[in-house]
Amino acid sequence: MTGTKRKKKNVLWSRMKNPHCEDLKQWGRRRLPVLEWALHYNLKEDLPPDTVSGIMLAVQQVTQGLAFAILSSVHPVFGLYGSLFPVITYAIFGMGRHVATGTFALTSLISANAVERLVPPSSQNQTAQSNTSVLGLSDFEMQRIGVAAAVSFLGGVIQVAMCVVQLGRATFLLTEPVISAMTTGAATHVVTSQVKYFLGIKMPYISGPLGFFYIYIYVFENIQSVQLEALLLSLVSIVVLVLVKELNERFKRKIKVILPIDLVLIIAASFACYYTNMENTYGLEVVGHIPKGIPSPQAPPMNVLSAVITEAFGVALVGYAASLALAQGSAKKFKYAVDDNQELLAHGLSNVISSFFFCIPSAAAMGRTAGLYSTGAKTQCVLASIIVVGLKGMLIQFRDLKKYWNVDKIDWGIWVSTYIFTICFAANVGLLFGVVCTVAIVIGRLSRAKTLSIKNMKEMEFKVKTEMDGETLQQVKIISINQPLVFLNAKKFHTDLMNILQKENASNQQLDDTSKCERNTLLISLSNGSSCNEEASQPHSNEECSLILDCSGLTFFDSSGVSMLVEVYMDCKSKNVDVFLAHCTASLVKAMKYCGNLDSEKPFFFKSVPAALSNIHSNKVRQNLSKLSDQSEV
């Protein structure tokens, strides 16, 4: 009896523990996405293309790692470390399947402010020139990377803290115009910081408010110091990079291996620098020797954390905003979900862990992955050209101004003002200004919005029943939009709409199965034993359904709302559901035609709900007539 009681206690104890274990497993899968995708990884199908893509992108990352390390005012070898350790960490904790982390231009430029302020070039003469035991670098270089690592560490801690307090839910405030303007303005700052390398001018580090304009003032005052050799080499490098990258993009479907022009250009410049002795002959600055090996981990200097708080917040906010935009874009394109809070945790841990390995701040950048490389001397003007060409995707976002002008002029104004604030001050200041400006404008517009009553759906269905047959009515769903559609509620609108459609499809499915069972019961003697279970198990034909969105309550919208309406249209189209919009304003029609790839053959916009219903009914009649004519021919 004693053994039996013990067994019962063990069974009860295991049952009590099971719910907790299941919750723990779900929590582990949510916080460690690698446990989810690694189990479903197909080695035969996924490994070969992943290997080829990884090699090609690693080659590209080597050159950009060197360039962004110089942008961060540290030795180039630390850019190679920043291409390795953050990627490994993000692969474990990140959810963006098509996003790779590593050195990033915007975060590098922000950390450079702290490096130049705390360890200026003038302190190099005061620092002992003896080499340290770490990679044989000087104390001056180690002090500089110490400051950059401290920025990375504190920025990562801030991101992890934001994850703990669930600030990822507030990412809806980071609207598309704000992110576009901020990244474009920051890219303009990065290009400006490389002007001294383009022209071969030796100039002091200039930053702070209006520093963007002070740099060009200094350049024009010292225009006679321009080295024509550096200018010519920079122009040739930019032309070659842009031309080859455009050819790679145009013929990427025909060629299996893309030419790594970044690496080819650096190798060519290295040989030219070595054999022509450019440093002494023409006075061009060179990077110098890059040491081999990976140092042992070391904690960043904690005594400078209080001095880099401003830069750390900039890295945390700007890096996360740019990374999240890339993750959400890839998730939307490839049809998977991304948790905003988990992305905060992933990027925060990437910065914290990599700071112990002498890495500069990192963030996500599309088309980049891990790489580690050791090479010889390289000219800095070539690396500056690589930085500028690498930012082409951000700089061409100026084209968004035309879209925002046609969709919503208020978004156009937010873009321009955010860009101006980013140029005049900094990327984090421009980002905060854009968020505050967006919230203030939405609050003002919501306070002036008129409230409209929701239509009585029972009365609408009764009217439809009197005009149409029941079969057509069952295929039509009428939903009234009774509030503005802006970035604040665009995601919720999409979720609610999809839930309504799923519930409606489920209820219709049950009704169809019930009616089929009743028919089978009556015909069981004639059908020789066919049951309703067999009928229900057969796949149902994909009948066309229709959705009418009544936009009479849509008092105003922004670009995010229009994009969501277009996304609803595309999602419903993929599910064989026709979407029609009724009571649309002229501005909404114009915006949707401009933003979306709508089907021009079928009418999409209608003046009223009855007009949309009449169109659906006429289409149904034409389909029935065509079926009858086909049957008569048979």
Side-chain angles (χ1 to χ4, degrees):
M1 292 295 293
T2 305
T4 305
K5 289 182 179 180
R6 288 180 179 177
K7 289 181 180 180
K8 289 182 178 180
K9 288 182 178 180
N10 292 332
V11 171
L12 291 174
W13 178 250
S14 62
R15 289 179 179 177
M16 292 175 64
K17 290 175 64 179
N18 280 338
H20 180 69
C21 293
E22 291 297 327
D23 294 340
L24 187 61
K25 289 181 180 179
Q26 293 180 0
W27 183 88
R29 291 177 179 177
R30 188 170 66 251
R31 294 306 177 196
L32 293 173
V34 65
L35 300 177
E36 191 71 24
W37 62 262
L39 297 176
H40 305 285
Y41 192 81
N42 193 325
L43 293 177
K44 292 184 179 180
E45 296 181 2
D46 299 335
L47 187 60
D50 285 351
T51 303
V52 174
S53 300
I55 293 174
M56 298 305 299
L57 295 176
V59 171
Q60 180 186 9
Q61 176 57 33
V62 168
T63 58
Q64 292 188 355
L66 296 171
F68 292 152
I70 294 177
L71 181 62
S72 191
S73 298
V74 298
H75 194 278
V77 71
F78 299 117
L80 298 180
Y81 302 154
S83 305
L84 176 65
F85 295 104
V87 177
I88 297 175
T89 307
Y90 183 82
I92 298 174
F93 296 96
M95 298 186 68
R97 304 173 191 172
H98 302 82
V99 173
T101 59
T103 53
F104 189 45
L106 306 188
T107 55
S108 297
L109 184 64
I110 294 173
S111 65
N113 293 331
V115 173
E116 293 288 347
R117 188 181 75 253
L118 298 179
V119 191
S122 58
S123 64
Q124 185 174 7
N125 299 327
Q126 302 173 2
T127 306
Q129 295 299 317
S130 60
N131 293 338
T132 63
S133 59
V134 182
L135 298 175
L137 298 176
S138 64
D139 293 336
F140 174 75
E141 294 291 351
M142 297 308 300
Q143 288 179 8
R144 287 203 147 194
I145 187 56
V147 174
V151 174
S152 177
F153 174 81
L154 187 56
V157 170
I158 294 173
Q159 289 176 329
V160 173
M162 293 169 63
C163 172
V164 172
V165 297
Q166 301 290 310
L167 284 183
R169 297 179 179 179
T171 53
F172 63 88
L173 297 174
L174 302 175
T175 61
E176 181 182 341
V178 173
I179 296 298
S180 175
M182 183 272 294
T183 52
T184 306
T188 308
H189 271 295
V190 173
V191 173
T192 302
S193 68
Q194 301 304 298
V195 169
K196 60 181 180 181
Y197 297 119
F198 293 152
L199 306 178
I201 296 178
K202 294 183 179 180
M203 59 182 299
Y205 185 81
I206 301 175
S207 63
L210 304 180
F212 173 85
F213 303 100
Y214 291 143
I215 290 176
Y216 287 104
I217 291 174
Y218 184 91
V219 169
F220 285 115
E221 289 179 350
N222 298 271
I223 197 68
Q224 69 278 1
S225 303
V226 173
Q227 292 179 302
L228 295 180
E229 297 84 0
L231 178 60
L232 180 62
L233 184 59
S234 299
L235 293 176
V236 171
S237 300
I238 291 176
V239 171
V240 172
L241 285 170
V242 172
L243 182 62
V244 176
K245 285 180 180 292
E246 288 295 329
L247 292 176
N248 285 336
E249 184 67 23
R250 179 169 297 183
F251 299 102
K252 63 181 180 181
R253 296 183 178 179
K254 296 182 180 180
I255 56 178
K256 296 183 178 180
V257 179
I258 297 176
L259 178 64
I261 185 59
D262 304 64
L263 184 61
V264 172
L265 188 62
I266 278 192
I267 294 175
S270 300
F271 276 107
C273 177
Y274 179 78
Y275 287 105
T276 61
N277 195 16
M278 289 185 179
E279 184 177 9
N280 297 324
T281 305
Y282 302 106
L284 298 181
E285 294 186 24
V286 298
V287 173
H289 176 71
I290 296 181
K292 298 180 180 180
I294 300 177
S296 57
Q298 181 178 328
M302 299 299 173
N303 58 332
V304 299
L305 293 182
S306 59
V308 298
I309 292 179
T310 303
E311 288 79 10
F313 269 102
V315 166
L317 296 177
V318 175
Y320 174 67
S323 302
L324 184 64
L326 291 174
Q328 290 179 341
S330 63
K332 181 179 178 179
K333 182 177 181 180
F334 295 100
K335 306 298 181 183
Y336 61 89
V338 171
D339 186 357
D340 298 343
N341 275 309
Q342 182 63 27
E343 287 298 293
L344 268 175
L345 178 65
H347 290 290
L349 292 178
S350 297
N351 279 314
V352 170
I353 295 175
S354 61
S355 67
F356 287 83
F357 294 91
F358 304 96
C359 294
I360 59 179
S362 63
M366 186 63 69
R368 295 176 44 190
T369 187
L372 186 63
Y373 188 76
S374 179
T375 185
K378 305 163 189 63
T379 59
Q380 291 192 359
C381 52
V382 172
L383 294 180
S385 302
I386 292 175
I387 292 175
V388 172
V389 176
L391 295 172
K392 185 187 69 172
M394 293 184 182
L395 294 173
I396 63 176
Q397 290 181 130
F398 280 108
R399 296 184 301 184
D400 293 344
L401 285 172
K402 182 180 179 181
K403 179 183 75 173
Y404 296 130
W405 180 264
N406 288 278
V407 174
D408 185 12
K409 292 180 175 56
I410 293 181
D411 279 348
W412 182 89
I414 292 175
W415 197 104
V416 173
S417 59
T418 302
Y419 177 81
I420 293 175
F421 263 75
T422 303
I423 288 296
C424 294
F425 299 99
N428 53 345
V429 177
L431 181 64
L432 292 176
F433 170 81
V435 170
V436 172
C437 185
T438 302
V439 172
I441 290 175
V442 169
I443 292 174
R445 296 174 76 179
L446 284 173
S447 63
R448 293 184 290 106
K450 296 181 179 179
T451 57
L452 298 178
S453 59
I454 302 176
K455 287 192 174 182
N456 192 333
M457 297 304 296
K458 293 182 179 180
E459 293 181 0
M460 179 61 68
E461 291 180 359
F462 178 77
K463 292 180 180 179
V464 176
K465 285 180 181 179
T466 59
E467 298 175 1
M468 298 185 181
D469 56 311
E471 183 181 1
T472 306
L473 174 61
Q474 188 178 358
Q475 297 176 349
V476 179
K477 185 67 179 177
I478 306 171
I479 298 177
S480 178
I481 304 176
N482 60 343
Q483 58 183 345
L485 192 57
V486 294
F487 71 96
L488 289 170
N489 60 351
K491 289 184 179 180
K492 189 177 185 301
F493 165 78
H494 182 271
T495 303
D496 293 343
L497 184 60
M498 293 298 108
N499 290 336
I500 291 174
L501 294 179
Q502 289 178 1
K503 291 179 181 179
E504 185 70 15
N505 292 336
S507 62
N508 290 340
Q509 186 77 15
Q510 293 176 358
L511 291 175
D512 292 342
D513 293 341
T514 303
S515 60
K516 288 181 178 180
C517 286
E518 292 175 354
R519 289 197 301 269
N520 289 335
T521 302
L522 294 175
L523 300 175
I524 190 170
S525 58
L526 299 176
S527 60
N528 195 16
S530 62
S531 63
C532 64
N533 292 331
E534 294 177 356
E535 181 71 21
S537 63
Q538 295 179 0
H540 297 277
S541 60
N542 292 328
E543 299 180 355
E544 288 190 3
C545 301
S546 300
L547 170 65
I548 299 178
L549 295 178
D550 183 5
C551 300
S552 58
L554 187 58
T555 52
F556 67 86
F557 55 87
D558 63 1
S559 56
S560 299
V562 175
S563 299
M564 190 57 66
L565 282 175
V566 174
E567 184 176 347
V568 166
Y569 170 80
M570 300 304 297
D571 290 345
C572 293
K573 186 178 180 180
S574 63
K575 297 177 182 179
N576 206 23
V577 177
D578 293 329
V579 182
F580 305 95
L581 266 65
H583 295 109
C584 298
T585 61
S587 58
L588 179 61
V589 174
K590 178 182 177 182
M592 290 199 65
K593 287 183 178 179
Y594 189 85
C595 288
N597 186 17
L598 306 179
D599 191 355
S600 58
E601 296 181 359
K602 296 182 179 180
F604 182 65
F605 303 100
F606 294 91
K607 294 182 179 180
S608 62
V609 173
L613 290 170
S614 176
N615 178 77
I616 296 172
H617 183 60
S618 60
N619 291 336
K620 185 69 175 179
V621 171
R622 283 195 295 269
Q623 291 176 2
N624 292 335
L625 290 177
S626 62
K627 290 181 181 179
L628 290 175
S629 62
D630 294 339
Q631 292 176 0
S632 61
E633 291 177 1
V634 173

